[in-house]
Amino acid sequence: MAKISKARKAAAEKVDANKQYALSEAMSLVKQVNTAKFDASVDVHVRLGLDPRKPDQALRGTVTLPHGTGKTKRVVAFVTPDKEQEAKDAGADFVGLDDLVAKVTGGWTDFDVVVAMPQTMAKVGRLGRVLGPRGLMPNPKTGTVTMDVAQAITDVKGGKIAYRLDKFGIVHSSIGRVGFSAEQLVDNANELLGTLSRSKPSSAKGIYMKSVTVASTMSPGIKVDPKSIA
């Protein structure tokens, strides 16, 4: 236990808590100070000048990261029987309808993304109690309720991720793994941050991007200078 504490202490000493780092510097640093023994996730936390209680500021959407997330997403596809083979061919890990609805109702949630056809939503909607709290409920705004399930599955497998503003006005998103190069992490972060900037609601007042912090699963938080974002 002492060894871990020592490693974390050494990592914390490399990060100046009062400094805002350039994005490229922050991504190099997060790789250096990761203390996990596995290929940890690298996450970006963006505090926005939005009030999530206002419907026109409840930001959510999708972004396709150029280098993916480094994690293969397990996709559930709720489809009509005639679309099952199409969904399987596109790479869905679990395909069906009534059988899958029953399985999820029983508490099964061993998947990362749910894609559904509009015709299935009457049945999928009943899973809100299970899927909702985990952020897994399919939604037309994120392209996960669609007639073109094959394209939706291909997009998810290709690095498309959903983001949403939480109740504290923060967007949390994984943008890769510690094993990525600093350049890949910068590319992915810029794609996410650029998308958030372009998605700024017209009703937003004052400073929009209040703070940006990057951290791996087991590293100190590193503050990023918003001006360094491409």
Side-chain angles (χ1 to χ4, degrees):
M1 192 70 185
K3 191 175 180 185
I4 295 175
S5 299
K6 193 174 176 184
R8 287 191 185 172
K9 187 180 176 186
E13 285 172 354
K14 289 182 181 178
V15 178
D16 184 344
N18 298 312
K19 178 180 176 181
Q20 286 192 330
Y21 292 85
L23 186 62
S24 56
E25 196 178 359
M27 293 309 176
S28 295
L29 191 55
V30 78
K31 289 168 59 65
Q32 294 173 36
V33 299
N34 171 64
T35 57
K37 296 280 193 271
F38 54 91
D39 193 15
S41 173
V42 175
D43 306 316
V44 171
H45 310 278
V46 189
R47 183 180 293 279
L48 296 171
L50 296 176
D51 184 347
R53 293 169 299 180
K54 295 181 178 178
D56 60 344
Q57 295 189 17
L59 192 68
R60 69 184 299 168
T62 61
V63 58
T64 299
L65 302 177
H67 304 291
T69 61
K71 179 185 176 184
T72 303
K73 297 283 182 76
R74 291 161 300 177
V75 179
V76 167
F78 289 104
V79 298
T80 50
D82 58 306
K83 290 284 186 178
E84 284 188 6
Q85 193 58 49
E86 191 178 318
K88 288 174 184 172
D89 291 345
D93 300 271
F94 310 98
V95 178
L97 184 53
D98 293 337
D99 53 339
L100 285 180
V101 168
K103 201 171 176 182
V104 175
T105 301
W108 175 70
T109 56
D110 191 21
F111 46 87
D112 305 296
V113 178
V114 177
V115 172
M117 293 172 64
Q119 301 95 310
T120 69
M121 284 307 293
K123 293 178 178 179
V124 177
R126 298 177 204 150
L127 304 174
R129 195 175 296 173
V130 179
L131 301 178
R134 293 169 175 80
L136 293 170
M137 199 67 191
N139 189 296
K141 288 183 181 176
T142 57
T144 48
V145 176
T146 174
M147 287 297 293
D148 195 351
V149 287
Q151 186 59 54
I153 294 160
T154 302
D155 289 345
V156 169
K157 293 286 187 177
K160 184 178 181 181
I161 60 167
Y163 62 82
R164 65 183 301 170
L165 195 70
D166 72 9
K167 62 182 179 180
F168 302 108
I170 302 171
V171 171
H172 307 273
S173 179
S174 172
I175 50 125
R177 319 294 286 187
V178 170
F180 281 27
S181 70
E183 290 76 17
Q184 288 175 315
L185 292 172
V186 169
D187 287 347
N188 280 357
N190 272 327
E191 191 65 34
L192 170 68
L193 297 168
T195 299
L196 292 178
S197 292
R198 291 188 293 275
S199 305
K200 178 182 177 180
S202 56
S203 59
K205 300 287 187 285
I207 297 170
Y208 178 56
M209 207 165 280
K210 290 189 167 182
S211 71
V212 179
T213 307
V214 60
S216 74
T217 308
M218 294 173 69
S219 84
I222 300 165
K223 293 176 184 173
V224 177
D225 181 358
K227 296 186 192 73
S228 70
I229 297 159

